[in-house]
Amino acid sequence: MPEGAMAVVKPEMKSYVWLETADGSIQQVEEEVAMFCPVICREILQKSMGSSKLNAIVLPERVNPATLGLILDYCRFHQVPGHSLKERKAFDDRFIRLDTKKLCELTSAADSLQLKPLVDLTSRTLARIIEGKTPEEIREIFNLPDDLTEEEKLEPLKNVTDDPRIRLLNRLYARKRKELKEREQRKNIEAEEEHVDARSVDDLLSFINGEDKETKGAKTSKSKKKNRRKKALLKECSNNENGDHKELNGVSYLNDNDTAEDGLLDSGPSSEMLDLMSPSKLDFDDGDIDDDELDPAMKEELDREVEDFARRLNSDWPERMQEILSRGQGRKLTPISINGNGSAQGYTGHQQR
Amino acid sequence: MDNGTAHDFLSDLPLSITEIILSYLPIRDAVKMSTLSTKWRYRWASLPQLSFCDTCVSLSADKSVVESKLIKFITNALLLHKGPIHKFKICTSILQGCPDIDQWLLFLSRNDVRELTLELGEGEWFRVPSCLFSCHKLTLVELCRCELDPPPGFRGFMSLRTLTLNQVLVAPEAVESLISNCPLLENLTLSYYDGLDLNLNAPNLKYLCLEGEFKEICLEDTPLLEVVSITLYMNTDEIQEHFEHSSGCNFVKFLGGVPNLERLIGHIYFTKYLSIGVEQWTPPLTYSHLKIIELYQVSFEDMKELLVVLRLITNSPNLEEFQISGSSNTNAIVEAPNLEFWETECPSDCMFKLLKTVKMTDMCGVPHEMELIKFLLGNSPALEKLSIVPCIYVTELKVDMLVELVKFRRASPRAEILFLQE
């Protein structure tokens, strides 16, 4: 009986405050719950706000009625002393089961109310959602605009992870672009193709794939004399690339890439650290490998390899990025193939010329 | 900007929040965020905390390759970073001492680094460059497997609160002066430290963790010490010999000046160490704040060790938790134990008013163990739980232990006795 009496009395004893959200709606909330937010607490204690509907505490703009409801749920639980750590954790785990949009809104709202424990909780949750995901996945989850060029996307990775596959892709990309430019110059008939540079790798590749056969004939009559040595080297390289490619098709292609990377890093120039990938630089790189001086058969073969590799890199780009980025966590035990290593040496020599 | 349904909520978060989110990500993921969109480009680069570990690079069979990759990764990250670096941490088994680390540290020393953790792999130890000693803003230093040699003119770290040296080669005098030159030092951990002699002067020290070979530890000036955890190795001949000829009371040297002690954890040999000279110890010292005592590998055959245990607990009137483990040396069971000891040494008016939990592990059922149980049960009116885990070698004695246990009088009507097997 006394307990029942208490229960009846208690609500009457509770004091309430009035809160107004940016949309103008006003609601009445238990004072002790609202006081858990430092911003509201200050308004009540320092400015004596919230005591009536006319004197409602105006909440920051980032707090909308829906997030306010969530925040009050959070405060209602955590302002009560005596919950064990385990209970708090269980509550938090249940509490943050929200879609990412709500999570972001909640983080922002909690931040504007200076409710630090909730900001930490939601930020940690967002980080957990992001961790280990590919940029594509993250973009999709959070509706991020895909407003970076391929080059820009690679740049920070190149600088920090210095992944030679990215370097390789860049070289392939640059070479293809130059090739297209040249073709364009030669066959001025199709004048529509104007801004080759601006197109995505996908466009370039489909273009290459579609038009490759027609253009080949135009490029075959070349002087071969002075470039014999270069050719030999390229042949070696292309054979190795071929080797690479075979392995790429197989299960162990990643580990092969790893060794390729290792080879590159072994002798890789350290000055590449801040080597930003300006197009001019790429063109310069490209000049190194003058496709036009190749004999046609080899050229064809090389083209195929390049395309294949580029397509591969491109088609499963999300997975590849994921692999690139998660290397070291996932695949510690993959064996290294000696064959792959040999090809890596070939690449290195090639690159340094 | 965005059309209709697809709104970029993540990027619209205030910078302070995106920084928190990035700080919760492993640095590799944080860097990767740069490839998301223009708004996230190089956001990671102004993170004030940088933490590197083996997962920053892919592993391969060739160690030197992985090492150079990690070095490059860290160097690049520092080069691309902008703004203050408050926290710098490397925990790796890949890296050993290399010139690059010196350069990183020099870079950090010019960036007012506050928290520095260097945990490098086994192999060649790395010598901490002198620039570390000019990082005056340091509040936390954690070093593992390196050589530390403060320059002659070193005046101390004025802001340092936490110092952890694990497997660090450093001269005993250097450690002592380093510690006494950090006036704010609160947490000190020395592990795998074989300095043998250690005199501590740390007026602000609250937490002390020592592990290593010691002959003498003297807490000269540590009035605020709250938590002590000690692991001693004294199995070398030199140390044994030293103890045979030592004079003075280790108990007094060690625990004579720590009135604020709240928790004491003594691992292997600690009780033995304290027992040297304990019979000379007379002044009644009371540890009125001591709430938790844990003593491991106590030899119940050694009357001096038992004396240490008794002195400790009977001088801790506010003890709440007591844990003790035997050294399980069943061969050394004394034929005729001196049980009078308990009558003479246990003050009859001693009460453990607040003692709630007692845990005894590796018990063999020897008479002195049973006497201790009897003493605790009979003088702890608030006891809630006494758990006994017999030593795994004890088989037939278990029943005897239980029979005797049942007989003991209990001061606390609520006391629950748990006899746990395995």
Side-chain angles (χ1 to χ4, degrees), chain A residues 140-162:
Chain A
E140 200 183 317
I141 293 168
F142 292 102
N143 283 321
L144 292 176
D146 190 0
D147 57 1
L148 288 170
T149 66
E150 293 298 313
E151 280 179 29
E152 280 176 324
K153 280 176 200 171
L154 297 172
E155 190 183 298
L157 289 169
K158 179 178 180 287
N159 284 333
V160 174
T161 65
D162 198 21

Side-chain angles (χ1 to χ4, degrees), chain A residues 133 147 159 273 324-325, chain B residues 8 28 32 35-36 38 76:
Chain A
K133 298 241 179 10
D147 57 1
N159 284 333
M273 230 146 40
I324 288 164
L325 290 162
Chain B
D8 180 4
R28 226 186 143 87
K32 188 179 73 178
T35 62
L36 283 179
T38 41
N76 288 353

Side-chain angles (χ1 to χ4, degrees), chain A residues 74-324:
Chain A
Y74 179 86
C75 295
R76 208 166 275 127
F77 179 85
H78 283 281
Q79 58 98 16
V80 179
H83 289 299
S84 71
L85 222 71
K86 207 176 154 189
E87 285 167 332
R88 285 172 193 276
K89 206 188 160 297
F91 173 85
D92 287 351
D93 286 348
R94 239 179 307 118
F95 180 74
I96 44 105
R97 278 184 213 152
L98 298 165
D99 63 56
T100 51
K101 177 185 168 227
K102 278 236 173 63
L103 266 178
C104 290
E105 284 177 348
L106 187 58
T107 313
S108 180
D111 178 61
S112 72
L113 294 171
Q114 295 173 2
L115 192 54
K116 200 170 179 319
L118 183 55
V119 174
D120 274 347
L121 174 68
T122 49
S123 302
R124 226 178 314 121
T125 311
L126 287 167
R128 223 176 296 134
I129 293 169
I130 292 165
E131 195 178 329
K133 298 241 179 10
T134 64
E136 268 69 22
E137 286 169 328
I138 298 168
R139 253 181 241 125
E140 200 183 317
I141 293 168
F142 292 102
N143 283 321
L144 292 176
D146 190 0
D147 57 1
L148 288 170
T149 66
E150 293 298 313
E151 280 179 29
E152 280 176 324
K153 280 176 200 171
L154 297 172
E155 190 183 298
L157 289 169
K158 179 178 180 287
N159 284 333
V160 174
T161 65
D162 198 21
D163 192 290
R165 268 167 295 179
I166 290 167
R167 238 184 292 159
L168 186 61
L169 177 67
N170 265 300
R171 292 171 59 81
L172 297 166
Y173 179 42
R175 187 157 62 186
K176 280 296 156 200
R177 193 166 54 181
K178 196 185 175 195
E179 216 175 275
L180 287 167
K181 241 184 208 164
E182 283 169 1
R183 260 178 239 170
E184 200 183 332
Q185 280 163 6
R186 275 190 211 101
K187 318 165 81 190
N188 239 346
I189 320 135
E190 289 134 348
E192 299 96 89
E193 313 285 336
E194 277 170 13
H195 303 289
V196 180
D197 279 2
R199 278 177 297 166
S200 75
V201 179
D202 274 326
D203 292 339
L204 289 170
L205 285 168
S206 63
F207 177 59
I208 299 155
N209 292 335
E211 301 213 330
D212 208 14
K213 273 159 198 133
E214 308 169 29
T215 49
K216 214 170 290 152
K219 290 168 77 184
T220 41
S221 57
K222 302 296 164 217
S223 85
K224 295 176 185 176
K225 278 172 201 165
K226 60 175 180 178
N227 288 305
R228 210 146 269 167
R229 209 180 133 263
K230 208 172 200 173
K231 230 170 62 186
L233 272 164
L234 271 172
K235 171 145 189 153
E236 188 195 337
C237 164
S238 109
N239 285 342
N240 284 326
E241 236 177 345
N242 202 11
D244 253 353
H245 167 57
K246 272 173 195 151
E247 298 234 352
L248 280 170
N249 280 329
V251 238
S252 62
Y253 75 96
L254 257 168
N255 117 43
D256 182 61
N257 271 335
D258 264 356
T259 58
E261 167 187 358
D262 294 345
L264 283 166
L265 273 171
D266 266 342
S267 50
S270 56
S271 62
E272 288 212 359
M273 230 146 40
L274 288 174
D275 166 17
L276 301 181
M277 291 174 297
S278 65
S280 61
K281 166 78 182 158
L282 287 165
D283 280 339
F284 176 73
D285 261 359
D286 191 27
D288 252 7
I289 315 155
D290 200 344
D291 285 356
D292 292 349
E293 291 166 359
L294 291 173
D295 91 43
M298 193 189 296
K299 166 86 180 85
E300 192 182 345
E301 187 186 17
L302 189 62
D303 270 358
R304 208 178 49 239
E305 296 308 331
V306 165
E307 272 159 32
D308 218 79
F309 187 48
R311 197 183 317 117
R312 185 168 289 277
L313 270 168
N314 205 35
S315 66
D316 54 0
W317 185 240
E319 294 91 279
R320 297 208 44 89
M321 284 309 284
Q322 178 55 27
E323 276 155 4
I324 288 164

Side-chain angles (χ1 to χ4, degrees), chain A residues 17-20 31 34-52 54-60 112-114:
Chain A
V17 286
W18 296 87
L19 302 178
E20 183 178 343
E31 189 180 36
M35 292 271 272
F36 200 67
C37 298
V39 166
I40 298 176
C41 183
R42 255 199 312 276
E43 291 282 321
I44 295 170
L45 296 179
Q46 289 174 6
K47 300 184 193 161
S48 318
M49 295 289 284
S51 53
S52 71
L54 289 170
N55 196 25
I57 296 168
V58 180
L59 296 177
S112 72
L113 294 171
Q114 295 173 2

Side-chain angles (χ1 to χ4, degrees), chain B residues 233-244:
Chain B
Y233 304 112
M234 33 192 280
N235 34 3
T236 67
D237 292 344
E238 191 199 347
I239 297 174
Q240 293 287 4
E241 203 173 308
H242 170 82
F243 284 132
E244 275 161 31

